[in-house]
Amino acid sequence: MRLGVLDVGSNTVHFLVVDAHPGAAPLPAYSHKIDLRLAELLDPDGAIREDGIRQLVDMVTSSMRVAEDKGVEEVLPFATSAVREAVNGEAVLKRVQDETGVELRVLSGGDEARLTFLAARRWYGWSSGRLLLLDIGGGSLEIACGLDEEPDTAVSLPLGAGRLTAGWLPGDPPEPDRVRELRKHVRAEIARTVAEVSRLGPPDHVVGTSKTFKQLARITGAARESEGPLVPRRLTRGALEDWVPRLAAMSAEQRVLLPGVSAGRARQLLAGALVAEAALDLYRVDELDICPWALREGVILRRLDRMSS
């Protein structure tokens, strides 16, 4: 069947059309997205601004037109941390439903971590053993670890690259003192989760998902995205540690010139690198593999599982 996944994330609103059926990998058929960056479109009280809401409504409306044009049988609409944590989140959801007819399902942080873990487990299989997943989004960091398709632990922290950039790094390039303050904050937050994850034993395989990890891997020498999802890509802690001070000294304009870095993500890359570096260091991870599948694929796979049960 043809499914549409409407992902209202903290950075991007993405409508992905896939051909999918139980027992097979979902195949992307069409992509429609905008870099809305809802995590940065907040007023001082933490509410999503009117311009952000208007753009979101317009994007949902256009996505439903795409769904009709592409023959989508079912749409799976969901929203993550930007809407979940906005003080006017409920009003935003009601506005979207009233004006488009689409009811967005708000995923909890734990749901995000579990569904992304499911996608990574299906991609790498049982031979991966104990899997540790790290996912840096625009609004939050998801961490999950376990042996099965359901992780033994699933944690979400408010350490998304967009959120941290907006709240901690106003300069371009940011002032060194602000970078140090953010580094300290990130490490303190992640350190609170180390005992919970470590009690499960050392992971056999560590993977990273999300655009942030893909871009960090690319600037440290990983293959281009155009080479396809089956090409192995890896990020090492050593290479990342070398790049963090270099990114801190660059402006967003300079970061755009790096391989694989998009204009919409350039300002956020330093904050994402600080989160990635802290996670690899505190979890004692020397390297991780970049997983092509993430939350959207997890949502699709869970839906297919329910069809076959």
Side-chain angles (χ1 to χ4, degrees):
M1 68 183 300
R2 178 157 281 195
L3 297 174
V5 184
L6 179 59
D7 176 0
V8 179
S10 298
N11 277 320
T12 305
V13 181
H14 191 172
F15 183 65
L16 179 66
V17 178
V18 298
D19 292 317
H21 63 270
L27 298 176
Y30 189 81
S31 177
H32 174 56
K33 63 182 177 180
I34 59 168
D35 288 328
L36 185 52
R37 293 192 287 279
L38 283 175
E40 300 178 33
L41 295 178
L42 303 176
D43 66 22
D45 295 325
I48 297 174
R49 301 196 310 254
E50 173 60 27
D51 57 330
I53 300 172
R54 185 68 259 165
Q55 290 179 72
L56 174 58
V57 168
D58 289 346
M59 178 59 182
V60 173
T61 300
S62 65
S63 295
M64 294 306 98
R65 287 198 296 267
V66 170
E68 181 178 344
D69 291 344
K70 299 300 179 183
V72 170
E73 297 178 52
E74 181 180 351
V75 175
L76 308 175
F78 66 90
T80 57
S81 63
V83 175
R84 181 174 68 235
E85 296 168 15
V87 298
N88 61 338
E90 290 296 328
V92 172
L93 294 171
K94 185 176 186 304
R95 174 92 169 267
V96 170
Q97 185 170 9
D98 287 347
E99 297 194 25
T100 71
V102 175
E103 182 178 0
L104 291 172
R105 171 194 174 197
V106 179
L107 299 179
S108 69
D111 287 338
E112 284 191 58
R114 284 185 284 271
L115 287 166
T116 307
F117 183 89
L118 171 64
R121 170 60 77 194
R122 293 280 177 91
W123 181 268
Y124 289 106
W126 300 113
S127 62
S128 294
R130 189 181 302 281
L131 189 67
L132 172 61
L133 167 88
L134 303 171
D135 180 285
I136 303 171
S140 58
L141 163 69
E142 273 67 54
I143 305 155
C145 188
L147 282 166
D148 300 322
E149 291 196 340
E150 182 71 19
D152 296 311
T153 187
V155 178
S156 180
L157 299 175
L159 297 178
R163 176 199 298 271
L164 296 178
T165 300
W168 292 79
L169 302 175
D172 185 27
E175 297 177 4
D177 286 348
R178 299 302 296 268
V179 176
R180 283 194 294 271
E181 289 171 6
L182 177 56
R183 183 180 186 274
K184 180 180 178 181
H185 168 71
V186 166
R187 285 174 174 262
E189 289 289 312
I190 295 175
R192 294 174 184 166
T193 70
V194 170
E196 180 178 350
V197 174
S198 298
R199 69 179 174 79
L200 302 170
D204 300 304
H205 193 183
V206 183
V207 301
T209 63
S210 75
K211 195 71 171 180
T212 293
F213 271 119
K214 290 177 181 177
Q215 291 188 343
L216 291 172
R218 180 73 185 98
I219 67 172
T220 60
R224 294 179 177 88
E225 192 168 352
S226 61
E227 295 183 35
L230 299 181
V231 176
R233 294 171 176 85
R234 185 162 292 178
L235 176 65
T236 68
R237 178 164 31 129
L240 183 57
E241 289 173 345
D242 288 341
W243 266 97
V244 167
R246 297 166 66 181
L247 292 172
M250 292 180 178
S251 66
E253 192 174 82
Q254 291 170 319
R255 292 177 200 152
V256 171
L257 301 178
L258 298 173
V261 177
S262 64
R265 306 271 183 152
R267 284 198 68 243
Q268 301 181 11
L269 191 59
L270 173 59
L274 289 169
V275 174
E277 180 192 35
L280 295 186
D281 184 19
L282 292 168
Y283 290 127
R284 299 182 181 181
V285 173
D286 291 326
E287 60 184 22
L288 58 74
D289 288 325
I290 306 300
C291 180
W293 282 1
L295 178 59
R296 281 185 293 275
E297 287 76 15
V299 170
I300 295 166
L301 293 167
R302 182 66 77 215
R303 176 68 184 90
L304 294 176
D305 287 348
R306 289 172 180 157
M307 287 175 58
S308 59
S309 62

